[in-house]
Amino acid sequence: MITRSPANVQIASDLASSLASSPSSPSGAPAWQRQLANVVRDPVELCRRLGLDDDALPGARDGHALFEVRVPEAYLTRIQPGDPTDPLLRQVLPLVAETDAVDGFVADPLEETDHTPRRGLIHKYAGRVLLIASPACAINCRYCFRRHFPYQENSPSRAQWQETLDYLREDTSIHEVILSGGDPLAASDRQLGWLVARLEEIPHLKRLRIHTRLPVVIPARIDEALLEWLGGSRLQKVVVLHSNHAHEIDAEVAAACARLNDAGVTLLNQSVLLRGVNDNVAALAALSERLFEAGVLPYYLHVLDPVSGAAHFDVPDEEARHLVETLRDQLPGFLMPRLVREVPGAASKTPL
Ligand code: SF4
């Protein structure tokens, strides 16, 4: 049964509100929320802070107009100033190439809007559903396949959240709920704690999976308040991080991963194969090694989803297969991510 006490209704309302706006940072807010409120949003500031030449500015402004810049300070400090080829910079700096229209690159490459039986709920695969728990991200990744996702149309009201929970309760074939976004951990702990408590009341749910980039880009997100609702849940907990390069995993990120591991969370990582970021064997091997040092197992290496504005990141399939075959010669099997593509309408990820 869903509890509809006044407190729960208020939190449900807060959760719904969070879907419509970026998190605020009231005084006394946790450190991670203050960092979230102070991300770099100005493409000119981004270029200046990183000592880039002025010739980067027109592209940065044009790309920003299509998908705004967002870079947290904790991520910015890992970028090598003055190096336009830095693999972390490539993921956050808009380029003029984003304005190119390229055949086959579209706004909704995974046709997700065809699989939303309830607002904010995507049901594509057997046994599991995905909830858009927050429309906000701490960082805007230039290759994001949801860069055009209609979050406003998928921001449930309070009543619609109850309908989503009813949908989950009525379909006993669903055993796993995946929190996604945006970034689900951009929602507050109060909101997420409420949602997870409601999910725990549904007996046939076994697993909670959270797909997030926040522990990588703002590792302070993994604080006591988060560990309280996550670590205390009866559901089996899996956090799938999203990291694409070994330089993203510094000591603070490794410490955040250790806190999650200590709380009984299984940690996996998924990456996207990106031209100019990790499209070589050395970078992929270093990423797997660094992940494992931090207690994280490599899970998937996705080829790029063909979203408009990101074609310059594309690596052809043949080259991707060759990279992975070469990587296999260098790594033990448990450090090998599976090379996959997400095909609209397919029953699962498609191995390449
Ligand atoms: S954090 Fe994830 S959802 Fe957000 S922009 Fe990056 S890839 Fe997209």
Side-chain angles (χ1 to χ4, degrees):
M1 282 289 294
I2 295 171
T3 309
R4 289 175 184 262
S5 70
N8 283 339
V9 168
Q10 179 58 47
I11 296 169
S13 177
D14 291 350
L15 183 58
S17 305
S18 81
L19 299 171
S21 62
S22 296
S24 62
S25 177
S27 61
W32 70 268
Q33 279 187 331
R34 294 197 300 274
Q35 292 184 43
L36 198 52
N38 291 311
V39 297
V40 173
R41 292 190 178 88
D42 178 356
V44 179
E45 181 189 350
L46 180 65
C47 293
R48 297 265 184 267
R49 288 279 306 276
L50 292 171
L52 300 178
D53 292 341
D54 282 354
D55 57 11
L57 286 173
R61 285 197 183 101
D62 289 354
H64 171 76
L66 298 172
F67 182 45
E68 70 172 11
V69 162
R70 287 181 73 86
V71 189
E73 196 67 35
Y75 194 83
L76 199 66
T77 57
R78 295 173 226 158
I79 298 174
Q80 185 65 40
D83 180 3
T85 68
D86 183 281
L88 276 57
L89 177 71
R90 291 268 303 168
Q91 298 178 58
V92 295
L93 177 69
L95 301 178
V96 73
E98 293 184 29
T99 62
D100 294 344
V102 178
D103 280 351
F105 285 76
V106 298
D108 180 15
L110 304 187
E111 299 173 11
E112 291 189 317
T113 49
D114 295 342
H115 298 276
T116 53
R118 297 290 182 277
R119 236 177 145 137
L121 184 151
I122 298 172
H123 194 174
K124 288 198 293 190
Y125 298 145
R128 51 210 191 273
V129 298
L130 186 148
L131 301 185
I132 301 290
S134 166
C137 286
I139 189 167
N140 278 352
C141 312
R142 307 315 301 176
Y143 53 85
C144 179
F145 73 91
R146 291 205 183 112
R147 53 183 282 162
H148 308 288
F149 189 79
Y151 285 111
Q152 293 306 324
E153 292 169 23
N154 281 279
S155 297
S157 66
R158 181 177 63 198
Q160 286 162 336
W161 266 109
Q162 300 295 355
E163 285 175 17
T164 293
L165 291 165
D166 288 345
Y167 180 94
L168 298 178
R169 195 170 45 237
E170 284 161 15
D171 187 341
T172 57
S173 72
I174 298 170
H175 299 305
E176 178 172 334
V177 168
I178 301 166
L179 301 186
S180 184
D183 195 312
L185 294 189
S188 75
D189 291 308
R190 193 169 83 122
Q191 294 158 352
L192 291 167
W194 175 85
L195 178 60
V196 170
R198 301 289 77 73
L199 296 175
E200 286 174 3
E201 292 168 355
I202 301 174
H204 50 271
L205 293 184
K206 297 177 183 172
R207 285 185 301 280
L208 175 70
R209 191 178 356 151
I210 300 174
H211 280 242
T212 177
R213 192 148 158 74
L214 252 156
V216 175
V217 303
I218 302 182
R221 178 64 185 98
I222 310 304
D223 61 6
E224 284 304 315
L226 176 140
L227 295 170
E228 196 172 319
W229 60 262
L230 184 58
S233 174
R234 74 156 180 88
L235 300 167
Q236 284 189 295
K237 299 160 284 279
V238 180
V239 167
V240 181
L241 298 176
H242 177 167
S243 175
N244 301 313
H245 197 280
H247 291 178
E248 291 181 332
I249 307 168
D250 65 5
E252 280 189 49
V253 175
C257 293
R259 292 195 288 279
L260 287 167
N261 266 322
D262 290 346
V265 175
T266 298
L267 280 172
L268 306 172
N269 183 69
Q270 63 175 11
S271 312
V272 183
L273 183 59
L274 299 166
R275 177 70 77 210
V277 174
N278 56 13
D279 57 333
N280 62 82
V281 172
L284 293 172
L287 175 59
S288 279
E289 295 278 2
R290 184 65 187 129
L291 285 167
F292 193 66
E293 285 168 6
V296 185
L297 278 174
Y299 175 38
Y300 281 139
L301 176 62
H302 286 260
V303 292
L304 185 76
D305 296 311
V307 64
S308 57
H312 55 291
F313 285 113
D314 194 35
V315 176
D317 285 1
E318 194 177 332
E319 184 179 339
R321 284 193 200 95
H322 179 68
L323 274 172
V324 168
E325 286 312 310
T326 312
L327 188 66
R328 207 182 302 283
D329 294 338
Q330 300 198 6
L331 291 176
F334 63 91
L335 292 188
M336 280 297 298
R338 277 164 270 176
L339 181 67
V340 293
R341 155 171 292 122
E342 192 149 348
V343 177
S348 64
K349 311 268 180 183
T350 304
L352 255 75

